[in-house]
Amino acid sequence: MTILDDTELHGDASYAASRARSDTIHKLIDDPHGRGREKLRVLTGDRPTGPLHIGHLFATLQSRVAIQDKGIDTFILVADYQVITDRDSVGDVRAATYGQLADYLASGIDPARSTIFAHSAVPEIGQLMLSFLSLVTDAELRRNPTVKDELAATDGRPLSGLLLTYPVHQAADILSVHGSVVPVGRDQLPHVEQTRAIARRFNARYAGGEEYFRTPDALLTDLPVVPGLDGRKMSTSRGNGISLGMTADETAARIRKARTDSERRITFDPDGRPEVASMLRIAGLFTGERPEQVADRIGDGGAAALKAALTTAVNDGLAVHRARRAEFAADPAYLESVLREGNARAREVAARTLDDVQDRLGLRY
Ligand code: TRP
């Protein structure tokens, strides 16, 4: 096997193997006496492309808080340089970053225990990427299914060098702080596989076989993807989502405007009635009910009763988060200090990694 053999990437067998490793890590995190637990380090992140929505709350924020609260060392990245992978400008990245930060803190992420930092504040990540690029082929990058999907979603834009290589950049994110556990959805799995390959190839080619980089594992969540109000994936750009920072009135208005159907009896029928099914699912996430139970409760009330029940479920469920979020958002100096301290901590770790890497490459004068 040459160093650039990538047959281990992207297959079904690789999904099953990732799943099994993820299950093992879940158990280790949950076992206060688990061996090697203290050596785990979590690295995960979000692109600051716009307001975080309720999908983020259920799919990522709550599990990050749970991991942090179990005492696992956690790094959370505001992936600002990744915003321009598939668009022409970063947009209002400051507002998105500080909004994201307010949501992190409101959800219970504690900056004293979790290091929150931004790409742009850790230039060492970009420099690490240079040596990592020598360890991948253009063919494997072009085959990456997530890169392909993201390219397809850009309305005919040409493939930029950054979009093609962002899995390598993401490997640098993870390895710069020696992350060993990467909580992600299934769509991000190819990047974790790529990171594993880079870690192994680095060790083999540049570190004389020493295990300088650990091969990180994905931590897959079983949580359902929270659908948008129209039944499609929830996304800020589609206007089908409910963001965490909306007011109760904005939430009510968004739900009022959402499409449903005119049948009075509310039933859970994801294929036949996708919009109604999504609303039942979202309401159930907040009330702890199954979607069928929500439907039974509403009975013959029609769309109006469904929307009223959904609005109450969401607004009640988010009231505490929103109150905390508003307090943080009203204190920009505090938010800035959280990010400044997180950046400094992450940069210190990444600078040490870059130093080690350059030593192993022989780039030392
Ligand atoms: N690509 C991730 C997303 O779009 C964000 C991200 C950037 C990330 N770097 C990361 C996730 C490192 C996990 C690890 O959601």
Side-chain angles (χ1 to χ4, degrees), residues 170-360:
Q170 198 153 320
D173 297 340
I174 297 167
L175 298 178
S176 68
V177 297
H178 293 274
S180 62
V181 179
V182 188
V184 280
R186 190 173 176 169
D187 67 305
Q188 297 287 305
L189 207 46
H191 308 338
V192 179
E193 293 292 305
Q194 183 69 76
T195 304
R196 292 168 61 80
I198 288 172
R200 279 194 296 262
R201 293 170 193 170
F202 184 93
N203 294 341
R205 184 185 284 184
Y206 297 131
E210 165 207 3
E211 203 200 355
Y212 175 65
F213 285 120
R214 293 183 281 183
T215 45
D217 290 306
L219 192 69
L220 295 161
T221 39
D222 288 322
L223 292 163
V225 175
V226 180
L229 293 167
D230 56 0
R232 297 186 300 165
K233 187 176 169 199
M234 188 175 284
S235 112
T236 315
S237 54
R238 288 199 183 118
N240 64 354
I242 297 165
S243 61
L244 298 172
M246 278 180 175
T247 64
D249 286 345
E250 286 164 347
T251 305
R254 168 73 45 107
I255 293 173
R256 208 177 313 118
K257 272 195 253 136
R259 248 191 56 173
T260 43
D261 56 40
S262 53
E263 227 177 288
R264 293 218 51 87
R265 170 126 206 112
I266 296 301
T267 54
F268 181 60
D269 173 8
D271 292 331
R273 307 175 76 184
E275 298 94 350
V276 169
S278 276
M279 292 185 183
L280 293 168
R281 278 204 178 107
I282 296 169
L285 278 169
F286 281 102
T287 61
E289 293 166 289
R290 282 181 296 106
E292 294 85 349
Q293 288 174 301
V294 182
D296 287 348
R297 180 152 64 76
I298 296 165
D300 290 323
L306 171 62
K307 289 182 172 184
L310 176 61
T311 303
T312 304
V314 174
N315 283 340
D316 287 358
L318 288 181
V320 172
H321 181 98
R322 284 174 167 165
R324 288 170 53 98
R325 184 189 199 280
E327 275 176 42
F328 289 120
D331 193 352
Y334 176 68
L335 293 179
E336 282 168 24
S337 74
V338 166
L339 197 52
R340 212 178 310 115
E341 281 168 32
N343 286 340
R345 228 184 296 161
R347 191 165 185 196
E348 204 183 298
V349 180
R352 228 175 301 130
T353 306
L354 180 61
D355 227 40
D356 290 346
V357 161
Q358 295 192 158
D359 264 348
R360 281 158 181 76

Side-chain angles (χ1 to χ4, degrees), residues 43-47 56 64 77-79 82 119 150 166 169-171 173-174 182-184 187-188 191-192:
L43 180 287
T44 187
D46 305 289
R47 301 179 193 198
H56 294 107
R64 289 177 192 171
L77 170 66
V78 177
Q82 231 185 57
H119 268 154
E150 290 185 20
Y166 96 85
H169 193 227
Q170 198 153 320
D173 297 340
I174 297 167
V182 188
V184 280
D187 67 305
Q188 297 287 305
H191 308 338
V192 179

Side-chain angles (χ1 to χ4, degrees), residues 144-164:
N144 183 307
T146 302
V147 170
K148 281 195 206 162
D149 286 352
E150 290 185 20
L151 177 64
T154 64
D155 304 320
R157 276 200 176 80
L159 177 60
S160 76
L162 186 60
L163 179 52
L164 180 66

Side-chain angles (χ1 to χ4, degrees), residues 121-139:
V122 186
E124 287 79 4
I125 293 175
Q127 209 172 335
L128 281 170
M129 184 179 173
L130 291 175
S131 61
F132 293 172
L133 282 167
S134 73
L135 299 168
V136 299
T137 65
D138 79 309

